[in-house]
Amino acid sequence: GLIHEISNCLTEAGIDFVTLGGVVPNPRLSKVREGISLCQKESVDFILAVGGGSVIDSAKAIGYGVANPWTDVWNFFLKTEIPNACLPIGAIPTIAASGSEMSGSCVITNEDGWLKRGSTRSDLCRPKFTLMNPRLTYTLPEYQTESGCVDILLHTMERYFSHDDDMTVTDAIAESILRTVKDSVFEVLKEPENYVHRAQIMWAGSLAHNDLTGCGTTGDWATHQLEHELSALFDVVHGAGLAALWGSWARYVYKENVTRFAQFAVNVMGVTNDFKSPEHTALAGIEAMEDFYRAIGMPVSICELIGRQ
């Protein structure tokens, strides 16, 4: 009933509007192009995205396409062109996950070749406002709640696992967000209408992807890039795909910065610090994170991921 409620509000305020539905997870370029045509036809000057990250990302891509008619919108995702404008976007998120309601980026899947790509990061597409109501997430299926929380965690961890070791405040913010989401997800799985913990997760989702947790650091993003290929080809849920890949990535790279992984193990996962062996602590932290994924019903391998689709 949310769309009906919003439509009534707009009508009562005397605001003319048109609607576009049909956005799917791993949002499609064809829907973006449909939206661009609709906006051009109806002289749309503002886009309100009501839904999850796929809806908000589609709105951003449509905004880019309408405001930059001199090129095809897909070029902004191939990064062969740079947008110079975007229609203003507002957002009413109905899931805590992508953080797109505060981010300056979006991700779209091109059905021609099944390529999933992110746009150039830019404040142009960052929403002008977001109305966040945790009650809108009460009815989410458990799998979407779990997957959304993993996405929030990975947005933070992609920035956290860095070679930059001198950002103590940034690290503390990131670690607090990680611990809060880890704790709150169990509470909302037990009690879906727990407002306090739904609110914690929703706020964490926005803070995890508005660049705050990456202030002063150089992020990695390899896990996201790998997952984009998985979700484009197999249409898996993004958060679940991240969970399936992260452990393998972590074990492949942890020796690049053992101290950072050990810090994560102790400060986020609660692992006892083995002062004689930072490597042992780091590996214990990776294992503890995989145990957490299992505890909330997330896969920890590609076989598990594909098997449950």
Side-chain angles (χ1 to χ4, degrees):
L2 181 60
I3 293 297
H4 180 69
E5 181 180 349
I6 293 171
S7 297
N8 285 342
C9 289
L10 294 173
T11 299
E12 291 172 5
I15 299 174
D16 293 331
F17 65 93
V18 293
T19 61
L20 175 67
V23 173
V24 298
N26 301 310
R28 309 295 198 250
L29 180 61
S30 59
K31 180 60 64 173
V32 169
R33 287 178 170 148
E34 180 185 345
I36 293 170
S37 297
L38 177 64
C39 288
Q40 292 170 334
K41 177 183 176 182
E42 300 290 344
S43 300
V44 169
D45 59 6
F46 186 91
I47 302 176
L48 180 62
V50 182
S54 294
V55 170
I56 301 171
D57 280 11
S58 295
K60 291 176 177 180
I62 292 168
Y64 273 146
V66 175
N68 300 275
W70 44 270
T71 190
D72 182 70
V73 68
W74 183 242
N75 290 335
F76 301 142
F77 296 86
L78 294 176
K79 297 183 174 64
T80 58
E81 302 278 2
I82 299 176
N84 55 34
C86 185
L87 282 186
I89 309 293
I92 303 178
T94 57
I95 181 174
S98 73
S100 189
E101 67 274 3
M102 268 199 184
S103 78
S105 61
C106 55
V107 179
I108 297 296
T109 299
N110 187 342
E111 301 96 315
D112 183 7
W114 295 103
L115 303 173
K116 187 174 181 179
R117 299 290 183 267
S119 66
T120 301
R121 296 187 67 81
S122 170
D123 286 338
L124 291 172
C125 74
R126 209 181 291 270
K128 303 302 181 184
F129 68 81
T130 296
L131 304 180
M132 296 169 61
N133 184 351
R135 291 184 175 86
L136 298 180
T137 67
Y138 283 176
T139 57
L140 285 172
E142 283 191 0
Y143 194 64
Q144 291 297 332
T145 296
E146 296 155 358
S147 297
C149 286
V150 173
D151 198 11
I152 295 168
L153 295 174
L154 261 294
H155 283 155
T156 307
M157 290 154 64
E158 295 277 26
R159 296 172 168 94
Y160 181 85
F161 289 107
S162 168
H163 286 293
D164 305 303
D165 291 322
D166 60 344
M167 294 304 296
T168 303
V169 173
T170 299
D171 284 351
I173 293 171
E175 289 166 1
S176 175
I177 288 172
L178 293 170
R179 290 192 301 268
T180 298
V181 174
K182 284 175 63 269
D183 292 342
S184 290
V185 64
F186 291 109
E187 298 301 323
V188 300
L189 290 177
K190 289 188 297 184
E191 186 185 350
E193 296 188 9
N194 187 316
Y195 180 90
V196 171
H197 287 283
R198 286 286 188 186
Q200 298 296 325
I201 293 171
M202 179 169 262
W203 186 221
S206 293
L207 296 180
H209 208 31
N210 70 350
D211 298 324
L212 175 66
T213 58
C215 183
T217 68
T218 303
D220 183 85
W221 299 104
T223 306
H224 263 75
Q225 296 302 320
L226 290 166
E227 198 290 323
H228 286 172
E229 304 305 320
L230 272 181
S231 53
L233 291 172
F234 300 103
D235 210 25
V236 299
V237 177
H238 178 55
L242 293 171
L245 290 167
W246 185 81
S248 296
W249 168 84
R251 289 186 177 89
Y252 185 76
V253 305
Y254 80 94
K255 290 184 179 179
E256 295 292 324
N257 195 337
V258 173
T259 301
R260 169 66 49 167
F261 277 88
Q263 177 180 322
F264 170 80
V266 174
N267 293 354
V268 177
M269 303 309 302
V271 170
T272 300
N273 198 342
D274 183 346
F275 292 99
K276 294 182 178 179
S277 176
E279 183 172 350
H280 181 269
T281 304
L283 289 171
I286 295 170
E287 184 175 346
M289 193 68 194
E290 287 186 321
D291 287 342
F292 165 77
Y293 292 149
R294 293 186 184 99
I296 63 170
M298 287 284 99
V300 294
S301 70
I302 294 177
C303 290
E304 290 183 17
L305 172 70
I306 302 301
R308 69 174 60 191
Q309 291 303 116

